[in-house]
């Protein structure tokens, strides 16, 4: 039977929403599911993790060195934890997991499975390649499996559990070659892009950060998170953490608005799991219309304010 | 101070990927290939660091079949001083690439490895981290700004929450994100000069790398297609349609 260790992503004492989705993937594999919380003070995060349905145990590793998520510091501790008979070590597939998981896999001398989007068995998984244009089914060789989970492919589990929380001590030498300096986070009152049920993204057509106001106004009217294409980010209209796509955020909202976005494959890679896609573009030939459930040809500077006023 | 830059030959990012009908993979024959876009960015960064006098020699490295030479020539045109072709006709998975790059780092006593954050064919996003792990050295992935000062580097990283800054001791592995720089346009004289620069060919075995059993791809399928949607003519029509589906 599988014994699965999930590494908890967290910040400012809060469990990241992706962990619950990672538990959903682990339930697909089946077996004992444990969550490890490595933190300076893990208690609060561990309590949240213990509530997730399907989790048998939460393991805490308290160490001041774990105050910030530095992969080189966390990896040797996770390697030690993994040696306790685990068949799988899973990471939520955001930048935290993508940075950390390969560092663990290499230490264990195993190939890693990136971005699990479906589970066929304990050793067989689907994952996207070529910006999601080819879905490959891979079979992992014998040995421990280290993987990241593509969060947009899984639905969060319930939070009615009360799993046991156990403190662990790990004896790993931690490196001093990497020093965390700071995080500049964009504080926003809007719903988080990755968990919002509705998202409105703007593209190059917005033309300036001032013009992005029409997107924000509409998003605020419908309670949506706000994203952007790479072109809009590169042009400096919005911060980088708003980029949606192959190399930005992969999202799965109920409703997605692509406004003034042409629909390059790299952008589409980030929105394939959106339930309903609405495209607003002045070019009837724009590729975004090929994937849109609803398309409206028009000038976004007229369409968006009109939508905002009519809702 | 030497820098290694890993460059991978991949299907060009503008190509519309076709999955073979028998599910055995994607069509790569007769399809345009180029240097992985993230590796172009890594290459450009190395050249800028050399121009600033932070590094003295740039060595481009690829692991793969004979055609990898084209990619190395592109790297040499960017400004690499020389290149290493680790030749192998098999499927090179990230752990294997990482072992080869780690061995090359040691052999050259390089102080920094610049990689792309992900190859746009396998979309694995693993190799840089694995090299750092194998060598027990620092990693700074998804870099959007790199400053080297003596034996330290300060790197700004694009993470989900915003921009994170790390300070790392060299040697280190740095993986490039999209906004690190905009790669230069290659000029004909540079492409001509690149033809004369040396490429050393070695095998994985020469570097002491043995192939372990990797992931086996059992099937490749196109993504589920989305059914064709409807075009509406007016804002009112759109709002009504979304309301009718309970979406607004
Ligand atoms: C390796 C790699 C990774 C990448 N990763 C990503 C990624 O993660 N995310 C991403 O988004 N891109 C990514 N890209 C970039 C991608 O290829 C496209 O360049 C980008 O998505 C284009 O952004 P855009 O649609 O906003 O701009 P454009 O392609 O310039 O499209 C602008 C659109 O706006 C329309 N328009 C103009 N004016 C108006 C108006 N007044 N009203 C309505 N419509 C109007 C135009 O008709 C056009 O369709 C990546 C590229 C590479 C090479
Ligand atoms: N076969 C290879 N040859 C050269 N570089 C590679 C190879 N495989 C991976 N890399 C490097 O590692 C980066 C990340 O690749 P990946 O982990 O496959 O997404 C790429 O951008 C390259 O810089």
């Amino acid at each position: 039977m599988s014994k699965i260790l999930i590494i908890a992503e967290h910040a400012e004492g809060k469990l990241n929403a992706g962990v619950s989705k990672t538990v959903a993937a682990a339930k697909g594999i089946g077996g004992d599911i444990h969550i490890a919380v490595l933190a300076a003070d893990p208690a609060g995060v561990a309590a949240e993790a213990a509530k997730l349905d399907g989790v048998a145990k939460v393991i805490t590793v308290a160490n001041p060195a774990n105050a910030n998520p530095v992969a080189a510091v966390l990896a040797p501790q996770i390697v030690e934890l993994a040696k306790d008979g685990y068949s799988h070590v899973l990471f939520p597939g955001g930048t935290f997991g993508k940075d950390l998981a390969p560092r663990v896999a290499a230490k264990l001398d195993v190939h890693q499975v990136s971005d699990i989007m479906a589970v066929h068995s304990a050793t067989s998984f689907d994952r996207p390649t070529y910006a999601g244009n080819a879905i490959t089914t891979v079979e992992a060789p014998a040995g421990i499996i280290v993987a990241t989970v593509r969060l947009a492919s899984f639905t969060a589990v319930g939070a009615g559990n009360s799993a046991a929380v156990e403190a662990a001590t790990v004896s790993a030498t931690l490196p001093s070659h990497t020093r965390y300096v700071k995080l500049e986070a964009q504080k926003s009152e809007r719903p988080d892009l990755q968990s919002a049920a509705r998202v409105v993204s703007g593209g190059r057509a917005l033309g300036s950060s001032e013009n992005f106001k029409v997107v924000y106004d509409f998003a605020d009217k419908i309670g949506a998170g706000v994203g952007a294409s790479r072109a809009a980010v590169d042009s400096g209209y919005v911060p980088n953490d708003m980029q949606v796509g192959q190399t930005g955020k992969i999202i799965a909202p109920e409703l997605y608005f692509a406004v003034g976005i042409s629909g390059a494959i790299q952008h589409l890679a980030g929105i394939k799991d959106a339930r309903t896609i609405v495209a607003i573009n002045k070019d009837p030939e724009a590729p975004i219309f090929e994937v849109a459930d609803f398309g409206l040809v028009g000038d976004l500077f007229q369409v968006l304010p009109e939508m905002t006023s009519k809702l | 101070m030497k820098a290694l830059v890993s460059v991978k030959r991949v299907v060009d990012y503008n190509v519309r990927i076709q999955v073979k009908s028998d599910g055995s993979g994607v069509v790569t024959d007769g399809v345009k290939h180029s240097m992985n876009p993230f590796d172009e960015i890594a290459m450009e960064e190395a050249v800028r660091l050399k121009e600033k006098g932070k590094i003295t020699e740039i060595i481009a490295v690829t692991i793969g079949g004979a055609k990898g030479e084209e990619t190395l020539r592109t790297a040499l045109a960017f400004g690499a001083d020389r290149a290493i072709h680790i030749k192998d006709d098999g499927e090179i998975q990230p752990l294997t690439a990482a072992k080869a790059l780690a061995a090359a780092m040691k052999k050259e006593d390089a102080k920094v490895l610049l990689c792309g954050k992900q190859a746009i064919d396998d979309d694995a996003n693993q190799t840089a981290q694995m090299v750092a792990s194998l060598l027990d050295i620092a990693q700074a992935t998804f870099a959007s700004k790199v400053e080297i000062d003596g034996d330290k580097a300060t790197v700004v990283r694009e993470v989900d929450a915003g921009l994170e800054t790390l300070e790392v001791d060299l040697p280190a592995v740095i993986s490039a994100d999209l906004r690190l720089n905009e790669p230069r346009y290659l000029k004909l004289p540079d492409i001509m000069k690149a033809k004369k620069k040396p490429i050393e060919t070695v095998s994985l075995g020469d570097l002491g790398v043995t192939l372990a059993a990797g992931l086996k791809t059992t099937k490749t399928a196109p993504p589920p297609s989305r059914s064709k949607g409807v075009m509406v003519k007016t804002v009112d029509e759109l709002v009504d349609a979304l309301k009718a589906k309970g979406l607004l």
Side-chain angles (χ1 to χ4, degrees), chain A residues 202-205 228-232 243-248 260-264 266-267 280-283 286 298-301, chain B residues 13 37-38 120 178:
Chain A
R204 190 197 309 276
S229 70
R230 174 188 173 190
Q243 180 173 316
V244 171
Q246 179 187 18
T247 50
I261 291 178
S262 60
Q266 294 87 4
H267 186 80
I280 298 164
N281 196 302
K282 71 174 185 192
D283 173 9
D299 183 344
L300 75 92
F301 294 107
Chain B
Y13 77 94
F38 291 99
I120 62 161
L178 286 174

mmCIF file of all heavy atoms in Angstrom, chain A residues 202-205 228-232 243-248 260-264 266-267 280-283 286 298-301, chain B residues 13 37-38 120 178, ligand 1:
data_model
loop_
_atom_site.group_PDB
_atom_site.id
_atom_site.type_symbol
_atom_site.label_atom_id
_atom_site.label_comp_id
_atom_site.label_asym_id
_atom_site.label_seq_id
_atom_site.Cartn_x
_atom_site.Cartn_y
_atom_site.Cartn_z
ATOM 1 N N GLY A 202 -6.487 40.878 -18.781
ATOM 2 C CA GLY A 202 -6.306 41.861 -19.838
ATOM 3 C C GLY A 202 -5.008 41.611 -20.575
ATOM 4 O O GLY A 202 -4.040 41.094 -20.019
ATOM 5 N N GLY A 203 -4.977 41.990 -21.844
ATOM 6 C CA GLY A 203 -3.788 41.757 -22.659
ATOM 7 C C GLY A 203 -3.116 43.027 -23.117
ATOM 8 O O GLY A 203 -3.386 44.120 -22.588
ATOM 9 N N ARG A 204 -2.286 42.864 -24.125
ATOM 10 C CA ARG A 204 -1.515 43.980 -24.660
ATOM 11 C C ARG A 204 -2.424 45.140 -25.074
ATOM 12 O O ARG A 204 -2.061 46.307 -24.986
ATOM 13 C CB ARG A 204 -0.714 43.508 -25.882
ATOM 14 C CG ARG A 204 0.310 44.522 -26.385
ATOM 15 C CD ARG A 204 0.796 44.221 -27.805
ATOM 16 N NE ARG A 204 1.256 42.865 -28.010
ATOM 17 C CZ ARG A 204 2.484 42.431 -27.723
ATOM 18 N NH1 ARG A 204 3.369 43.259 -27.228
ATOM 19 N NH2 ARG A 204 2.819 41.181 -27.945
ATOM 20 N N ALA A 205 -3.647 44.788 -25.525
ATOM 21 C CA ALA A 205 -4.571 45.804 -26.025
ATOM 22 C C ALA A 205 -4.890 46.882 -24.997
ATOM 23 O O ALA A 205 -5.313 47.974 -25.358
ATOM 24 C CB ALA A 205 -5.871 45.135 -26.478
ATOM 25 N N ALA A 228 -3.458 38.590 -16.394
ATOM 26 C CA ALA A 228 -2.952 39.304 -17.562
ATOM 27 C C ALA A 228 -2.197 38.354 -18.470
ATOM 28 O O ALA A 228 -1.789 37.268 -18.059
ATOM 29 C CB ALA A 228 -2.028 40.434 -17.124
ATOM 30 N N SER A 229 -2.013 38.781 -19.712
ATOM 31 C CA SER A 229 -1.163 38.019 -20.617
ATOM 32 C C SER A 229 0.283 38.430 -20.367
ATOM 33 O O SER A 229 0.564 39.440 -19.715
ATOM 34 C CB SER A 229 -1.517 38.326 -22.069
ATOM 35 O OG SER A 229 -1.100 39.651 -22.376
ATOM 36 N N ARG A 230 1.191 37.653 -20.936
ATOM 37 C CA ARG A 230 2.602 37.994 -20.788
ATOM 38 C C ARG A 230 2.884 39.366 -21.390
ATOM 39 O O ARG A 230 3.666 40.149 -20.845
ATOM 40 C CB ARG A 230 3.473 36.951 -21.486
ATOM 41 C CG ARG A 230 4.924 37.360 -21.470
ATOM 42 C CD ARG A 230 5.810 36.455 -22.304
ATOM 43 N NE ARG A 230 7.155 37.014 -22.376
ATOM 44 C CZ ARG A 230 8.094 36.550 -23.179
ATOM 45 N NH1 ARG A 230 7.859 35.528 -23.972
ATOM 46 N NH2 ARG A 230 9.278 37.104 -23.184
ATOM 47 N N ALA A 231 2.252 39.662 -22.518
ATOM 48 C CA ALA A 231 2.518 40.938 -23.178
ATOM 49 C C ALA A 231 2.164 42.104 -22.252
ATOM 50 O O ALA A 231 2.882 43.089 -22.181
ATOM 51 C CB ALA A 231 1.734 41.016 -24.480
ATOM 52 N N ALA A 232 1.043 41.966 -21.526
ATOM 53 C CA ALA A 232 0.629 43.037 -20.622
ATOM 54 C C ALA A 232 1.613 43.174 -19.456
ATOM 55 O O ALA A 232 1.895 44.273 -18.994
ATOM 56 C CB ALA A 232 -0.781 42.761 -20.099
ATOM 57 N N GLN A 243 0.605 37.160 -14.297
ATOM 58 C CA GLN A 243 0.661 36.475 -15.601
ATOM 59 C C GLN A 243 -0.021 35.112 -15.561
ATOM 60 O O GLN A 243 0.236 34.287 -14.689
ATOM 61 C CB GLN A 243 2.110 36.293 -16.049
ATOM 62 C CG GLN A 243 2.202 35.587 -17.398
ATOM 63 C CD GLN A 243 3.626 35.549 -17.923
ATOM 64 O OE1 GLN A 243 4.333 36.549 -17.862
ATOM 65 N NE2 GLN A 243 4.041 34.401 -18.416
ATOM 66 N N VAL A 244 -0.869 34.880 -16.543
ATOM 67 C CA VAL A 244 -1.568 33.604 -16.681
ATOM 68 C C VAL A 244 -0.989 32.895 -17.901
ATOM 69 O O VAL A 244 -0.814 33.516 -18.949
ATOM 70 C CB VAL A 244 -3.078 33.849 -16.883
ATOM 71 C CG1 VAL A 244 -3.805 32.578 -17.257
ATOM 72 C CG2 VAL A 244 -3.692 34.457 -15.622
ATOM 73 N N GLY A 245 -0.671 31.616 -17.761
ATOM 74 C CA GLY A 245 -0.196 30.880 -18.932
ATOM 75 C C GLY A 245 0.812 29.802 -18.603
ATOM 76 O O GLY A 245 1.042 29.486 -17.438
ATOM 77 N N GLN A 246 1.416 29.283 -19.649
ATOM 78 C CA GLN A 246 2.381 28.188 -19.541
ATOM 79 C C GLN A 246 3.420 28.463 -18.463
ATOM 80 O O GLN A 246 3.786 27.596 -17.697
ATOM 81 C CB GLN A 246 3.100 28.005 -20.888
ATOM 82 C CG GLN A 246 4.153 26.911 -20.906
ATOM 83 C CD GLN A 246 4.954 26.905 -22.216
ATOM 84 O OE1 GLN A 246 4.956 27.886 -22.963
ATOM 85 N NE2 GLN A 246 5.613 25.800 -22.490
ATOM 86 N N THR A 247 3.897 29.701 -18.434
ATOM 87 C CA THR A 247 4.953 30.026 -17.489
ATOM 88 C C THR A 247 4.466 30.975 -16.417
ATOM 89 O O THR A 247 5.242 31.486 -15.636
ATOM 90 C CB THR A 247 6.139 30.655 -18.226
ATOM 91 O OG1 THR A 247 5.635 31.698 -19.056
ATOM 92 C CG2 THR A 247 6.831 29.640 -19.077
ATOM 93 N N GLY A 248 3.189 31.235 -16.402
ATOM 94 C CA GLY A 248 2.624 32.047 -15.340
ATOM 95 C C GLY A 248 1.734 31.155 -14.507
ATOM 96 O O GLY A 248 2.079 30.011 -14.218
ATOM 97 N N GLY A 260 -8.909 41.572 -24.868
ATOM 98 C CA GLY A 260 -7.779 42.117 -25.613
ATOM 99 C C GLY A 260 -6.565 41.215 -25.557
ATOM 100 O O GLY A 260 -5.438 41.664 -25.483
ATOM 101 N N ILE A 261 -6.846 39.914 -25.597
ATOM 102 C CA ILE A 261 -5.797 38.883 -25.578
ATOM 103 C C ILE A 261 -5.977 38.041 -26.833
ATOM 104 O O ILE A 261 -7.084 37.580 -27.126
ATOM 105 C CB ILE A 261 -5.920 38.007 -24.312
ATOM 106 C CG1 ILE A 261 -5.552 38.836 -23.072
ATOM 107 C CG2 ILE A 261 -5.061 36.747 -24.415
ATOM 108 C CD1 ILE A 261 -5.693 38.092 -21.757
ATOM 109 N N SER A 262 -4.871 37.830 -27.583
ATOM 110 C CA SER A 262 -5.016 37.152 -28.880
ATOM 111 C C SER A 262 -5.276 35.654 -28.733
ATOM 112 O O SER A 262 -5.940 35.048 -29.563
ATOM 113 C CB SER A 262 -3.772 37.380 -29.732
ATOM 114 O OG SER A 262 -2.629 36.883 -29.081
ATOM 115 N N GLY A 263 -4.711 35.042 -27.662
ATOM 116 C CA GLY A 263 -4.927 33.617 -27.467
ATOM 117 C C GLY A 263 -3.767 32.760 -27.950
ATOM 118 O O GLY A 263 -3.963 31.690 -28.525
ATOM 119 N N ALA A 264 -2.537 33.210 -27.692
ATOM 120 C CA ALA A 264 -1.346 32.415 -28.017
ATOM 121 C C ALA A 264 -1.381 31.108 -27.222
ATOM 122 O O ALA A 264 -1.943 31.090 -26.119
ATOM 123 C CB ALA A 264 -0.082 33.205 -27.654
ATOM 124 N N GLN A 266 0.703 29.692 -25.489
ATOM 125 C CA GLN A 266 1.279 29.777 -24.141
ATOM 126 C C GLN A 266 0.284 30.390 -23.154
ATOM 127 O O GLN A 266 0.307 30.076 -21.966
ATOM 128 C CB GLN A 266 2.563 30.606 -24.153
ATOM 129 C CG GLN A 266 3.718 29.986 -24.926
ATOM 130 C CD GLN A 266 3.680 30.338 -26.410
ATOM 131 O OE1 GLN A 266 2.839 31.101 -26.859
ATOM 132 N NE2 GLN A 266 4.589 29.758 -27.170
ATOM 133 N N HIS A 267 -0.572 31.270 -23.644
ATOM 134 C CA HIS A 267 -1.602 31.819 -22.758
ATOM 135 C C HIS A 267 -2.694 30.773 -22.513
ATOM 136 O O HIS A 267 -3.105 30.546 -21.376
ATOM 137 C CB HIS A 267 -2.210 33.107 -23.338
ATOM 138 C CG HIS A 267 -3.157 33.768 -22.380
ATOM 139 N ND1 HIS A 267 -2.715 34.541 -21.337
ATOM 140 C CD2 HIS A 267 -4.508 33.719 -22.277
ATOM 141 C CE1 HIS A 267 -3.770 34.957 -20.626
ATOM 142 N NE2 HIS A 267 -4.862 34.475 -21.180
ATOM 143 N N ILE A 280 -13.249 38.734 -25.503
ATOM 144 C CA ILE A 280 -13.634 40.025 -26.069
ATOM 145 C C ILE A 280 -12.425 40.539 -26.827
ATOM 146 O O ILE A 280 -11.356 40.750 -26.247
ATOM 147 C CB ILE A 280 -14.056 41.015 -24.961
ATOM 148 C CG1 ILE A 280 -15.290 40.466 -24.233
ATOM 149 C CG2 ILE A 280 -14.336 42.404 -25.551
ATOM 150 C CD1 ILE A 280 -15.581 41.124 -22.913
ATOM 151 N N ASN A 281 -12.592 40.680 -28.138
ATOM 152 C CA ASN A 281 -11.454 41.055 -28.967
ATOM 153 C C ASN A 281 -11.987 41.753 -30.210
ATOM 154 O O ASN A 281 -13.035 41.387 -30.736
ATOM 155 C CB ASN A 281 -10.680 39.785 -29.364
ATOM 156 C CG ASN A 281 -9.292 40.105 -29.876
ATOM 157 O OD1 ASN A 281 -9.139 40.857 -30.846
ATOM 158 N ND2 ASN A 281 -8.281 39.536 -29.246
ATOM 159 N N LYS A 282 -11.250 42.748 -30.689
ATOM 160 C CA LYS A 282 -11.793 43.471 -31.844
ATOM 161 C C LYS A 282 -11.493 42.767 -33.166
ATOM 162 O O LYS A 282 -12.051 43.116 -34.194
ATOM 163 C CB LYS A 282 -11.287 44.922 -31.849
ATOM 164 C CG LYS A 282 -9.824 45.098 -32.182
ATOM 165 C CD LYS A 282 -9.516 46.583 -32.303
ATOM 166 C CE LYS A 282 -8.080 46.775 -32.747
ATOM 167 N NZ LYS A 282 -7.639 48.158 -32.608
ATOM 168 N N ASP A 283 -10.622 41.758 -33.096
ATOM 169 C CA ASP A 283 -10.258 41.022 -34.315
ATOM 170 C C ASP A 283 -11.041 39.709 -34.387
ATOM 171 O O ASP A 283 -10.803 38.799 -33.608
ATOM 172 C CB ASP A 283 -8.755 40.746 -34.295
ATOM 173 C CG ASP A 283 -8.319 39.852 -35.441
ATOM 174 O OD1 ASP A 283 -9.134 39.583 -36.355
ATOM 175 O OD2 ASP A 283 -7.150 39.411 -35.420
ATOM 176 N N ALA A 286 -9.070 36.457 -34.218
ATOM 177 C CA ALA A 286 -8.174 36.164 -33.091
ATOM 178 C C ALA A 286 -8.339 34.702 -32.650
ATOM 179 O O ALA A 286 -9.462 34.222 -32.496
ATOM 180 C CB ALA A 286 -8.456 37.106 -31.931
ATOM 181 N N GLY A 298 -15.442 43.214 -30.559
ATOM 182 C CA GLY A 298 -15.707 44.616 -30.251
ATOM 183 C C GLY A 298 -14.518 45.271 -29.588
ATOM 184 O O GLY A 298 -13.530 44.608 -29.253
ATOM 185 N N ASP A 299 -14.629 46.579 -29.407
ATOM 186 C CA ASP A 299 -13.564 47.342 -28.762
ATOM 187 C C ASP A 299 -13.739 47.242 -27.248
ATOM 188 O O ASP A 299 -14.762 47.659 -26.706
ATOM 189 C CB ASP A 299 -13.648 48.809 -29.218
ATOM 190 C CG ASP A 299 -12.524 49.659 -28.637
ATOM 191 O OD1 ASP A 299 -11.868 49.208 -27.657
ATOM 192 O OD2 ASP A 299 -12.289 50.758 -29.149
ATOM 193 N N LEU A 300 -12.740 46.693 -26.599
ATOM 194 C CA LEU A 300 -12.857 46.457 -25.167
ATOM 195 C C LEU A 300 -13.135 47.735 -24.384
ATOM 196 O O LEU A 300 -13.789 47.709 -23.339
ATOM 197 C CB LEU A 300 -11.591 45.773 -24.636
ATOM 198 C CG LEU A 300 -10.316 46.605 -24.471
ATOM 199 C CD1 LEU A 300 -10.203 47.186 -23.065
ATOM 200 C CD2 LEU A 300 -9.105 45.768 -24.752
ATOM 201 N N PHE A 301 -12.657 48.887 -24.907
ATOM 202 C CA PHE A 301 -12.850 50.136 -24.169
ATOM 203 C C PHE A 301 -14.308 50.586 -24.208
ATOM 204 O O PHE A 301 -14.714 51.461 -23.453
ATOM 205 C CB PHE A 301 -11.906 51.224 -24.691
ATOM 206 C CG PHE A 301 -10.457 50.893 -24.413
ATOM 207 C CD1 PHE A 301 -9.611 50.499 -25.446
ATOM 208 C CD2 PHE A 301 -9.962 50.920 -23.117
ATOM 209 C CE1 PHE A 301 -8.282 50.169 -25.182
ATOM 210 C CE2 PHE A 301 -8.644 50.591 -22.849
ATOM 211 C CZ PHE A 301 -7.800 50.215 -23.880
ATOM 212 N N TYR B 13 8.806 27.460 -30.501
ATOM 213 C CA TYR B 13 7.595 27.761 -29.726
ATOM 214 C C TYR B 13 6.415 28.196 -30.584
ATOM 215 O O TYR B 13 5.280 28.208 -30.125
ATOM 216 C CB TYR B 13 7.899 28.797 -28.634
ATOM 217 C CG TYR B 13 8.016 30.220 -29.113
ATOM 218 C CD1 TYR B 13 6.918 31.075 -29.082
ATOM 219 C CD2 TYR B 13 9.213 30.709 -29.594
ATOM 220 C CE1 TYR B 13 7.020 32.380 -29.526
ATOM 221 C CE2 TYR B 13 9.329 32.012 -30.048
ATOM 222 C CZ TYR B 13 8.225 32.844 -30.008
ATOM 223 O OH TYR B 13 8.335 34.134 -30.451
ATOM 224 N N PRO B 37 13.514 28.835 -25.625
ATOM 225 C CA PRO B 37 13.496 30.290 -25.387
ATOM 226 C C PRO B 37 14.086 30.710 -24.036
ATOM 227 O O PRO B 37 14.731 31.757 -23.938
ATOM 228 C CB PRO B 37 12.011 30.650 -25.448
ATOM 229 C CG PRO B 37 11.316 29.497 -26.044
ATOM 230 C CD PRO B 37 12.212 28.309 -26.030
ATOM 231 N N PHE B 38 13.888 29.907 -23.019
ATOM 232 C CA PHE B 38 14.440 30.266 -21.705
ATOM 233 C C PHE B 38 15.969 30.159 -21.709
ATOM 234 O O PHE B 38 16.649 30.850 -20.952
ATOM 235 C CB PHE B 38 13.861 29.373 -20.608
ATOM 236 C CG PHE B 38 12.406 29.636 -20.349
ATOM 237 C CD1 PHE B 38 11.423 28.824 -20.903
ATOM 238 C CD2 PHE B 38 12.006 30.711 -19.567
ATOM 239 C CE1 PHE B 38 10.088 29.075 -20.671
ATOM 240 C CE2 PHE B 38 10.670 30.970 -19.333
ATOM 241 C CZ PHE B 38 9.707 30.153 -19.894
ATOM 242 N N ILE B 120 10.620 23.909 -23.102
ATOM 243 C CA ILE B 120 9.221 23.994 -23.518
ATOM 244 C C ILE B 120 8.735 22.750 -24.249
ATOM 245 O O ILE B 120 7.624 22.728 -24.754
ATOM 246 C CB ILE B 120 8.931 25.266 -24.359
ATOM 247 C CG1 ILE B 120 9.754 25.250 -25.657
ATOM 248 C CG2 ILE B 120 9.188 26.523 -23.562
ATOM 249 C CD1 ILE B 120 9.185 26.196 -26.705
ATOM 250 N N LEU B 178 11.238 34.499 -17.828
ATOM 251 C CA LEU B 178 11.048 35.279 -19.059
ATOM 252 C C LEU B 178 11.526 36.712 -18.985
ATOM 253 O O LEU B 178 11.999 37.273 -19.957
ATOM 254 C CB LEU B 178 9.559 35.293 -19.430
ATOM 255 C CG LEU B 178 8.988 34.006 -20.009
ATOM 256 C CD1 LEU B 178 7.483 34.160 -20.166
ATOM 257 C CD2 LEU B 178 9.626 33.695 -21.346
HETATM 258 C C1 LIG C 1 8.515 30.485 -23.776
HETATM 259 C C2 LIG C 1 7.327 31.377 -23.805
HETATM 260 C C3 LIG C 1 6.460 31.382 -22.730
HETATM 261 C C4 LIG C 1 5.351 32.211 -22.730
HETATM 262 N N1 LIG C 1 4.504 32.181 -21.647
HETATM 263 C C5 LIG C 1 3.395 32.950 -21.665
HETATM 264 C C6 LIG C 1 2.461 32.917 -20.575
HETATM 265 O O1 LIG C 1 2.656 32.243 -19.576
HETATM 266 N N2 LIG C 1 1.359 33.701 -20.671
HETATM 267 C C7 LIG C 1 1.085 34.494 -21.754
HETATM 268 O O2 LIG C 1 0.047 35.166 -21.770
HETATM 269 N N3 LIG C 1 1.952 34.541 -22.781
HETATM 270 C C8 LIG C 1 3.104 33.803 -22.751
HETATM 271 N N4 LIG C 1 3.974 33.894 -23.807
HETATM 272 C C9 LIG C 1 3.750 34.931 -24.832
HETATM 273 C C10 LIG C 1 2.737 34.550 -25.903
HETATM 274 O O3 LIG C 1 3.391 33.822 -26.922
HETATM 275 C C11 LIG C 1 2.116 35.824 -26.516
HETATM 276 O O4 LIG C 1 3.139 36.649 -27.020
HETATM 277 C C12 LIG C 1 1.286 36.649 -25.529
HETATM 278 O O5 LIG C 1 0.374 35.819 -24.830
HETATM 279 C C13 LIG C 1 0.541 37.736 -26.266
HETATM 280 O O6 LIG C 1 -0.169 38.560 -25.362
HETATM 281 P P1 LIG C 1 -1.490 39.326 -25.825
HETATM 282 O O7 LIG C 1 -2.479 38.354 -26.311
HETATM 283 O O8 LIG C 1 -1.876 40.226 -24.716
HETATM 284 O O9 LIG C 1 -0.936 40.277 -26.989
HETATM 285 P P2 LIG C 1 -1.204 40.224 -28.549
HETATM 286 O O10 LIG C 1 -0.893 38.894 -29.106
HETATM 287 O O11 LIG C 1 -0.522 41.411 -29.094
HETATM 288 O O12 LIG C 1 -2.783 40.389 -28.675
HETATM 289 C C14 LIG C 1 -3.477 41.563 -28.398
HETATM 290 C C15 LIG C 1 -4.906 41.339 -28.837
HETATM 291 O O13 LIG C 1 -5.689 42.446 -28.478
HETATM 292 C C16 LIG C 1 -6.627 42.699 -29.516
HETATM 293 N N5 LIG C 1 -7.018 44.102 -29.405
HETATM 294 C C17 LIG C 1 -6.278 45.200 -29.685
HETATM 295 N N6 LIG C 1 -6.948 46.323 -29.392
HETATM 296 C C18 LIG C 1 -8.149 45.934 -28.908
HETATM 297 C C19 LIG C 1 -9.283 46.635 -28.426
HETATM 298 N N7 LIG C 1 -9.323 47.985 -28.344
HETATM 299 N N8 LIG C 1 -10.349 45.915 -27.996
HETATM 300 C C20 LIG C 1 -10.353 44.556 -28.056
HETATM 301 N N9 LIG C 1 -9.301 43.848 -28.517
HETATM 302 C C21 LIG C 1 -8.204 44.535 -28.934
HETATM 303 C C22 LIG C 1 -5.908 42.331 -30.781
HETATM 304 O O14 LIG C 1 -6.846 42.006 -31.800
HETATM 305 C C23 LIG C 1 -5.081 41.146 -30.338
HETATM 306 O O15 LIG C 1 -5.771 39.922 -30.563
HETATM 307 C C24 LIG C 1 5.095 33.057 -23.819
HETATM 308 C C25 LIG C 1 5.968 33.054 -24.907
HETATM 309 C C26 LIG C 1 7.077 32.229 -24.914
HETATM 310 C C27 LIG C 1 7.997 32.237 -26.073
#
